[in-house]
Amino acid sequence: MNYTIETSDEVLWQAASYGDAHAEEILIEKYNRLVKICSRPFFLAGGDSEDLIQEGMMGLLSAIRQFDPARDTAFKTYAENCIRNRLLSAIKSASRFKHTPLNESVSFESPMFDDMAHPSGLMRDPEELIIARERLAEVNSVLSGSLSQLEKKVLEFYLSGLSYQEIADAISKTPKSIDNAVQRIRKKLAQLLNSGDISKS
């Protein structure tokens, strides 16, 4: 069968579960952007984007191979949970063994996540639980207040999973200027965390 990303999740997963590699590839392609959306907030707070995306892809593969259609859960919801759990596990492991700078993470509330509601929070070390949802209002408020209009636009597009080139095309800038803006956002976030403007307790 000639599958496309327009093919339903149910059909793609069913075929993939029977060993259809093409269907699995299409399902991975279909949810590639979700992996980026899930991983990018963690990257902003100190992770390596490629490592995070790789971990997210492993979570997606796990979802494809462990999904149970008998449960009353959509594949998209299950896949998102698997991706986020994989990312959090990677961050905790990196913190514990200090192999990478993935020892801090922050998740953002945003209208673009309205159809993918999830528990989110700020995490300083592997022992710390994800902070309650109301703490995110503080993160958003303080961070947003420190960003320029360009940086706010870049952050919104970036967290929605767009590539540097796609963001550049959307706001008539160069990919290099987008990269510079993302790096400035990361520095400002790190400064806010270190200064205590975003409380850590």
Side-chain angles (χ1 to χ4, degrees):
M1 182 174 177
N2 187 24
Y3 303 109
T4 71
I5 59 173
E6 302 301 325
T7 305
S8 72
D9 291 348
E10 292 77 11
V11 170
L12 289 171
W13 178 84
Q14 188 69 46
S17 69
Y18 282 107
D20 189 322
H22 177 57
E24 183 175 86
E25 288 173 4
I26 296 298
L27 202 52
I28 290 172
E29 178 184 354
K30 188 173 184 177
Y31 282 96
N32 181 58
R33 187 179 179 190
L34 177 60
V35 170
K36 292 179 180 179
I37 290 173
C38 291
S39 66
R40 284 183 168 182
F42 298 117
F43 163 69
L44 285 174
D48 180 272
S49 59
E50 291 304 316
D51 286 347
L52 285 166
I53 289 174
Q54 183 176 6
E55 291 293 340
M57 291 303 294
M58 293 299 293
L60 176 57
L61 285 171
S62 175
I64 293 173
R65 290 162 188 176
Q66 297 178 16
F67 178 65
D68 183 356
R71 296 178 180 175
D72 190 22
T73 303
F75 176 79
K76 179 180 179 181
T77 301
Y78 183 74
E80 184 186 1
N81 287 335
C82 288
I83 292 166
R84 292 188 186 282
N85 287 339
R86 179 78 184 204
L87 288 168
L88 288 171
S89 293
I91 290 164
K92 289 179 181 180
S93 177
S95 287
R96 189 157 50 241
F97 297 106
K98 301 185 183 300
H99 287 164
T100 72
L102 300 181
N103 56 3
E104 286 188 335
S105 64
V106 63
S107 294
F108 298 89
E109 292 283 5
S110 171
M112 69 190 70
F113 293 123
D114 283 349
D115 65 335
M116 297 188 296
H118 59 279
S120 309
L122 176 67
M123 183 174 65
R124 292 201 313 272
D125 59 57
E127 306 304 319
E128 187 173 314
L129 296 175
I130 298 175
I131 291 175
R133 181 174 293 275
E134 59 264 22
R135 294 278 286 102
L136 293 170
E138 179 189 3
V139 175
N140 283 327
S141 176
V142 177
L143 180 59
S144 178
S146 71
L147 301 180
S148 68
Q149 289 302 311
L150 171 62
E151 290 164 352
K152 288 178 182 178
K153 288 182 180 179
V154 170
L155 177 60
E156 179 179 357
F157 283 123
Y158 184 77
L159 292 177
S160 72
L162 297 184
S163 67
Y164 284 5
Q165 185 62 60
E166 289 170 330
I167 300 172
D169 291 342
I171 61 177
S172 301
K173 298 288 183 180
T174 65
K176 179 60 178 175
S177 69
I178 303 305
D179 179 55
N180 290 339
V182 170
Q183 298 311 315
R184 289 197 301 272
I185 293 168
R186 295 188 72 189
K187 289 179 181 178
K188 289 180 180 181
L189 177 56
Q191 290 170 354
L192 290 170
L193 289 169
N194 292 331
S195 69
D197 286 343
I198 298 176
S199 66
K200 296 183 178 182
S201 61

